[in-house]
Amino acid sequence: MNSFALSPLHLVLVIGAVLALGAIGVRGVRKGRGLKGLPVLVAMVTLVLGLGVMLSEAAVARETTRLQAYLSGYAPFIARQAEALKLQSAIRQGQEAPALDALTRRSISAHPFMDGIFAVRRRPDGAVLIASGLTASNTAATAWSQGQPVWEKRGNNYPGATGPLKAVWEGKAVWYLLGSPLAPRGIAMAEPIRGDDSKVVGAMVLHFNARLWTETVDGARSGVLAMAGIMLCLVLLGGVMVVELAESLALVRVGRAELVLQAERIREQMDIIAEKNQQMAAQQDALAQANARLHALATMDGLTNVMNHRALMDTLNEALDKNHSFGSPCSVVLMDVDNFKQLNDQYGHPAGDEVLRIIGTVLRQSCPPGASVGRYGGEEFMMILPGASESAGVAVAEEIRRRIAMAKTSSRPVTASIGVSTVYSMSKSAQTLIDEADRAMYHSKRSGKNRVTHYGHGLLETA
């Protein structure tokens, strides 16, 4: 029996799915992500709906088969009873047969879910007529209580005579639905009644309550469709969650890309800043070097690479200020190159400049820590020895005299006459200290040159 029909449950499921998909699509458009993912969701929903319909109809077919097996014994049983009571002739002739009515009455009474039992016959012209029958209506119930049979449309055409009952005249039992699957009036089972010659003379048709059909079919269909509805909800919910998750992941990827881009920009800015810092550091180094060169030009003698006169005097004044504050000694060594004019006259000024440079180098190498050396003027040099007593000052002067005498030049050996003066806690001016060293130096020149003289007690001379 083909019982497929689009039931209200199917319609509810389909309409609900369409509305849900429409809502999801509208939500996606409002959120600006368009209809991405909706085709896949539609395909999955269609698959679930298709599976739900197929499984529901499979369940209906299975339950229908079970119902048919459950009810299939009644019609053959009653047909065999009719054959046993020799009612074939009455059925064939369409005559009144109280025994047939009593048989149908007993069958309906024994099986209250039956709606009616009819004996039908076929005329030679092919028309199918009701020979006898009873229905379980209120009228039939009243007739049963009075023991009177109810004749149902005797002589009228029986419904379905040209369709389902056609197989009965060929000797086959049939089972069919009265009405449509969505609005059934009942279930009919027909069994052929044979005569003494084994030919089919009529059919015994049983009508069962339509509630048996609807409860069986709707129960089977609703269970499967309920599961399909649950699956459909899960698919829709899962689809929405997947779309939201995909959108969240897309946002995360966009945010990560933005972070990477910002990091790249920060690195570029840091590189630019580092480059600018390097440029600034290079500029500062260049500025420091330029300042150093300017300072050197301002404070150093260009020929001998020692302090010039101005820087030398500033250094001496600072040393004397400290001497006055702390009461420590300070010595000044003043020297003059011996016979420097003769050297210039004999070998030329380049030779004189060479001698001055050599003496500047010797003085720098002989300068103790904390001491200062400079060109006082012409061929005169001065060394300032803060903290040096007169003996320490004389010792440094002797070392300088010895190294100058040992220095090698391209012209001739060179010597220097040196004078030393010392100041202690008693304050002396810078000029006084220089004048004393100058007198001691000239004393060395007058005493034979190439010697050291300290301006002390009576110009103490040290050879």
Side-chain angles (χ1 to χ4, degrees):
M1 180 186 297
N2 186 8
S3 59
F4 174 76
L6 193 62
S7 68
L9 289 176
H10 290 125
L11 293 175
V12 169
L13 207 59
V14 171
I15 293 173
V18 171
L19 292 177
L21 289 173
I24 293 172
V26 170
R27 185 171 182 269
V29 171
R30 287 182 177 178
K31 282 194 142 187
R33 61 170 174 255
L35 300 178
K36 292 181 179 179
L38 190 61
V40 176
L41 196 58
V42 170
M44 294 180 66
V45 168
T46 304
L47 178 62
V48 171
L49 289 175
L51 288 176
V53 171
M54 291 174 58
L55 292 177
S56 66
E57 296 311 311
V60 168
R62 183 176 64 253
E63 292 301 319
T64 302
T65 302
R66 290 176 58 187
L67 180 61
Q68 182 180 3
Y70 173 69
L71 299 177
S72 61
Y74 295 122
F77 174 73
I78 298 174
R80 285 194 297 271
Q81 284 187 323
E83 292 174 359
L85 293 173
K86 304 297 183 179
L87 301 176
Q88 298 92 330
S89 177
I91 294 172
R92 182 184 293 118
Q93 298 299 327
Q95 300 172 354
E96 293 185 5
L100 180 60
D101 296 331
L103 173 62
T104 56
R105 186 187 303 115
R106 287 195 307 271
S107 299
I108 292 177
S109 299
H111 305 283
F113 51 82
M114 290 185 184
D115 276 350
I117 300 178
F118 304 96
V120 299
R121 64 187 179 89
R122 185 176 64 168
R123 293 193 311 187
D125 60 2
V128 178
L129 304 177
I130 297 176
S132 176
L134 291 173
T135 59
S137 60
N138 292 334
T139 305
T142 303
W144 293 343
S145 65
Q146 298 174 356
Q148 298 176 0
V150 177
W151 296 91
E152 177 73 10
K153 299 181 181 177
R154 183 184 291 254
N156 291 342
N157 287 335
Y158 179 80
T162 58
L165 288 182
K166 186 177 181 181
V168 176
W169 313 128
E170 299 174 1
K172 300 177 182 179
V174 295
W175 142 283
Y176 58 95
L177 189 65
L178 296 172
S180 66
L182 294 180
R185 297 192 306 273
I187 304 172
M189 297 186 66
E191 182 74 19
I193 299 176
R194 301 177 184 274
D196 294 336
D197 54 0
S198 298
K199 292 184 178 180
V200 177
V201 298
M204 188 63 68
V205 183
L206 278 63
H207 286 195
F208 296 96
N209 197 316
R211 187 162 50 89
L212 291 175
W213 169 262
T214 56
E215 289 180 354
T216 300
V217 171
D218 291 346
R221 181 177 287 139
S222 61
V224 175
L225 291 181
M227 293 180 60
I230 294 174
M231 290 181 61
L232 187 60
C233 292
L234 292 176
V235 168
L236 291 172
L237 183 60
V240 172
M241 293 179 64
V242 168
V243 171
E244 294 293 336
L245 181 60
E247 184 178 2
S248 300
L249 291 176
L251 292 175
V252 170
R253 287 194 293 269
V254 171
R256 185 179 299 172
E258 290 179 352
L259 289 177
V260 172
L261 182 60
Q262 291 179 359
E264 290 293 335
R265 291 176 179 172
I266 291 173
R267 280 196 291 270
E268 291 177 358
Q269 292 176 357
M270 292 179 65
D271 292 340
I272 293 173
I273 292 173
E275 184 178 356
K276 295 293 183 182
N277 289 335
Q278 291 178 355
Q279 293 177 356
M280 290 178 63
Q283 292 174 356
Q284 290 176 354
D285 291 341
L287 182 60
Q289 294 176 2
N291 289 334
R293 287 194 295 270
L294 289 174
H295 184 267
L297 292 174
T299 61
M300 304 299 288
D301 180 68
L303 179 62
T304 60
N305 204 23
V306 295
M307 287 184 181
N308 58 24
H309 181 83
R310 178 180 177 181
L312 194 62
M313 295 305 296
D314 291 339
T315 303
L316 178 58
N317 288 324
E318 291 176 2
L320 292 179
D321 289 340
K322 291 180 180 179
N323 168 264
H324 179 71
S325 299
F326 299 106
S328 59
C330 180
S331 295
V332 170
V333 177
L334 190 64
M335 67 194 71
D336 183 79
V337 180
D338 294 332
N339 303 317
F340 185 73
K341 186 177 181 305
Q342 295 177 2
L343 187 145
N344 276 334
D345 293 341
Q346 183 178 357
Y347 296 99
H349 289 285
D353 292 342
E354 178 193 15
V355 168
L356 294 178
R357 284 194 295 269
I358 292 173
I359 291 177
T361 302
V362 171
L363 290 175
R364 288 197 309 273
Q365 295 174 351
S366 304
C367 189
S372 302
V373 64
R375 186 177 180 185
Y376 187 72
E379 67 273 17
E380 293 183 345
F381 294 86
M382 185 171 69
M383 182 178 289
I384 303 169
L385 302 171
S389 62
E390 88 180 36
S391 59
V394 170
V396 171
E398 280 291 342
E399 180 65 19
I400 292 172
R401 184 196 63 78
R402 186 183 64 81
R403 290 189 178 189
I404 292 174
M406 294 176 60
K408 294 182 179 181
T409 64
S410 61
S411 54
R412 60 175 175 79
V414 179
T415 60
S417 299
I418 302 174
V420 182
S421 63
T422 304
V423 61
Y424 289 92
S425 58
M426 183 184 298
S427 176
K428 288 183 181 180
S429 65
Q431 191 60 49
T432 300
L433 197 61
I434 293 173
D435 290 342
E436 291 178 353
D438 186 66
R439 292 191 188 110
M441 179 188 67
Y442 276 100
H443 185 273
S444 297
K445 282 188 174 291
R446 289 192 299 267
S447 300
K449 301 178 181 179
N450 192 24
R451 64 184 60 221
V452 176
T453 303
H454 186 280
Y455 183 90
H457 306 284
L459 287 175
L460 177 63
E461 179 179 341
T462 304

